[in-house]
Structure formats: C-alpha cells, structure tokens
Amino acid sequence: MSKRILVVLTSHDQLGDTGEKTGFWLEELAAPYYVFKDTGAKVTLASPKGGQPPLDPKSDAEDSQTDETRRFKQDEQANAALAATHRLSDMSADDFDAVFYPGGHGPLWDLVNDQDSIKLIETFIEQNKPVASVCHAPIVLVNAKSANGEPLVKGREVTGFTNGEEEAVGLTKIVPHLVEDALQQCGGIYSKADDFTPYVREDGQLITGQNPPSSAATAEALIGWLAR
C-alpha cells in the first residue's frame, strides 16, 4: 500500500515590516515532492488557511532554480494541488504515515505558533510516525511537547537554518526567531555543517535538514524511515 505523506506549507506572506513578500521556498517543496512521488507515495498538501500558499519570490528567481523546481513548475497536477491545499485544521494524523514541513521564512511567523500544527506534530509522535522538516521549518517543533510535557526537541539531535545562513541572507534582524537559537533554547542537541551545505539529522521520529540543499536528503531520510 502506498505511503501517505502530509506536506504542510506556510500561509504567511509578509517579511516582517519590510514590505517584502515571503512564503514557502520552492526547492524545499519541489525536491521532497518528487522524492515522495517517485517512490510511489501519495502526497497531500495543506496550509493553515488552505488554498494557494504564498511562494517566496526569491525562491522563484532564476538563480534559485533546480531540476526539481523546473519539473514542478511544468507539472499541471502538482500545481493544481498547490493551488488548492487543504485547510490544516481539517487534517488528521490518523490519515497519514508521515508529515513533512518545507521551509521558507513564512513558518517563522505562522506555523511556529499554529495550534493545529502543534497538535498534529504531537499526535504523529504519539502514533510513532515520523515528523520531518527542513531549513526554517524545524521552527514548527519548538512549541510541541512530548508526552511527559517536556519540549519535543529536548535531548534530541536536530538541525535547521543556521545563524550564519540567516546573516548571509541579511534577515537576522527581521525574523522573529533564529532557528538555531530557538532549537537550542528548547534543549535540542543542535548541530550543523558549513553554511549552505547539505546536512540532515535523524533522532527517533524527528528528521531535520539544515537548508535548501538538504531538502531532497531530508525527504529521502523520511522515506527510509517509512521503509523500515
């Protein structure tokens, strides 16, 4: 039977008070999407508001394109699914084998505090199902709790967009959270590779990737977890 993977995208489109747009990062959706689809998984897309989630325009720039993003942009079925994401509040962990969170800066504003997302993550963990996230999206873990009431990431190996990477893109003073700091403040055992180098950590059901180049590897780790 095909594995059922829920992919949760941000609905937030404002980059703080800059007047610039943000959202999800295209590569972080496209690369995992095809890792999942090409292994026969059934992929369902959801977002807090449902419908078309905002795409970070910088991720749509020519210098950010990859084979996977170009494939996604030409994929009518994928784009139809993206234009009509399910409302997150309607999603149940019972209906899926795993959940994956692409990044982009949007999750720093909405998914970090989204109660439906937090409950979903906690339920996936309770049901012994994997929770994967990449780049900025590991921020979705910081308010989730383990069954004992402790932060979910406490004592677990995790990674995510580094302080150095945030500095490199010039948004350190714009974002409401620095992923590296937030994971450490919750007791996560945070580690990283060089900036913008692929790097993935897996600890039990938690799978985290550091940055956009880690997207496919994070998704592959999730598929590997499901194949056990």
Side-chain angles (χ1 to χ4, degrees):
M1 182 175 162
S2 296
K3 296 299 183 182
R4 303 158 300 169
I5 300 175
L6 178 63
V7 175
V8 180
L9 296 151
T10 181
S11 290
H12 185 86
D13 69 351
Q14 295 296 315
L15 191 60
D17 298 325
T18 64
E20 295 181 29
K21 294 292 189 182
T22 191
F24 73 91
W25 197 261
L26 182 57
E27 180 184 7
E28 296 170 32
L29 170 62
Y33 182 85
Y34 291 113
V35 169
F36 300 150
K37 296 289 279 189
D38 292 348
T39 54
K42 184 177 185 298
V43 179
T44 298
L45 305 182
S47 61
K49 294 181 179 178
Q52 176 75 52
L55 172 66
D56 188 314
K58 291 189 177 76
S59 74
D60 204 24
E62 184 54 39
D63 61 358
S64 295
Q65 299 313 299
T66 65
D67 289 345
E68 289 77 20
T69 63
R70 283 185 280 269
R71 180 181 174 188
F72 192 94
K73 289 164 80 166
Q74 295 170 357
D75 186 333
E76 291 183 8
Q77 184 178 12
N79 280 279
L82 182 62
T85 66
H86 296 268
R87 193 175 286 270
L88 187 56
S89 58
D90 294 335
M91 299 294 97
S92 169
D94 297 342
D95 297 328
F96 300 97
D97 299 297
V99 62
F100 183 91
Y101 286 80
H105 284 87
L108 300 175
W109 277 274
D110 65 350
L111 289 171
V112 61
N113 296 313
D114 187 285
Q115 293 303 308
D116 294 313
S117 176
I118 293 166
K119 179 60 179 173
L120 198 69
I121 290 166
E122 292 172 346
T123 305
F124 269 96
I125 297 297
E126 288 167 10
Q127 294 181 354
N128 195 35
K129 296 172 181 176
V131 174
S133 55
V134 67
C135 198
H136 287 89
I139 200 70
V140 304
L141 303 172
V142 300
N143 288 315
K145 299 284 194 290
S146 298
N148 62 5
E150 296 271 23
L152 181 60
V153 301
K154 185 177 180 181
R156 292 178 183 257
E157 291 193 31
V158 289
T159 191
F161 207 61
T162 72
N163 291 352
E165 288 168 332
E166 201 67 81
E167 186 69 31
V169 299
L171 293 174
T172 301
K173 292 183 166 52
I174 304 298
V175 295
H177 311 278
L178 292 171
V179 177
E180 177 177 339
D181 289 352
L183 290 170
Q184 291 177 320
Q185 287 162 5
C186 292
I189 303 171
Y190 179 91
S191 60
K192 59 188 175 183
D194 290 341
D195 288 353
F196 303 107
T197 299
Y199 185 73
V200 177
R201 302 308 299 156
E202 185 175 341
D203 191 322
Q205 296 148 263
L206 288 187
I207 301 167
T208 48
Q210 180 177 318
N211 45 35
S214 308
S215 301
T218 306
E220 288 161 1
L222 179 59
I223 291 295
W225 198 104
L226 291 172
R228 292 174 190 164

